[in-house]
């Protein structure tokens, strides 16, 4: 299933000023960042988490999770490259 959850294009984020940039290649990476690194409960974060879960369950496709992750990363000001 790994091939099914990869993003067509990676997303680059930097979760803190002290950390290096991270290249997010798939839904699993995005979900981990949403869970571990984004601590503010916002609608965009919740939607991104829900969408990642839907992809992992096979109910939607990776582009939907990528769009939601980018929106949450942009809101959290961690997006470096889309």
């Amino acid at each position: 299933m790994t091939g099914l959850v990869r993003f067509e294009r990676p997303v680059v984020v930097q979760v803190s000023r002290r950390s290096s940039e991270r290249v997010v290649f798939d839904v699993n990476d995005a979900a981990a960042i949403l869970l571990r690194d984004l601590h503010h409960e916002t609608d965009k974060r919740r939607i991104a988490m829900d969408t990642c879960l839907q992809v992992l369950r096979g109910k939607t496709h990776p582009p939907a999770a990528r769009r939601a992750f980018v929106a949450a990363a942009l809101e959290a000001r961690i997006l470096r490259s889309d």
Side-chain angles (χ1 to χ4, degrees):
M1 182 156 179
T2 303
L4 298 175
V5 297
R6 286 186 67 85
F7 293 151
E8 188 173 304
R9 290 175 314 153
V11 178
V12 180
V13 296
Q14 185 175 9
V15 297
S16 75
R17 291 181 183 181
R18 297 175 305 278
S19 68
S20 59
E21 290 184 343
R22 293 169 61 180
V23 181
V24 181
F25 291 100
D26 60 38
V27 174
N28 292 317
D29 291 342
I33 289 169
L34 290 164
L35 285 170
R36 295 182 193 145
D37 299 309
L38 297 186
H39 304 291
H40 295 289
E41 294 288 333
T42 68
D43 286 340
K44 289 182 181 180
R45 177 180 177 262
R46 182 188 50 76
I47 289 168
M49 290 175 62
D50 289 345
T51 307
C52 287
L53 184 58
Q54 293 301 314
V55 171
L56 294 172
R57 290 180 174 164
K59 296 186 178 197
T60 193
H61 302 285
R66 186 183 186 283
R67 284 190 301 274
F69 177 69
V70 166
L74 186 61
E75 178 183 60
R77 297 182 175 177
I78 65 167
L79 184 66
R80 294 295 169 256
S81 176
D82 171 17

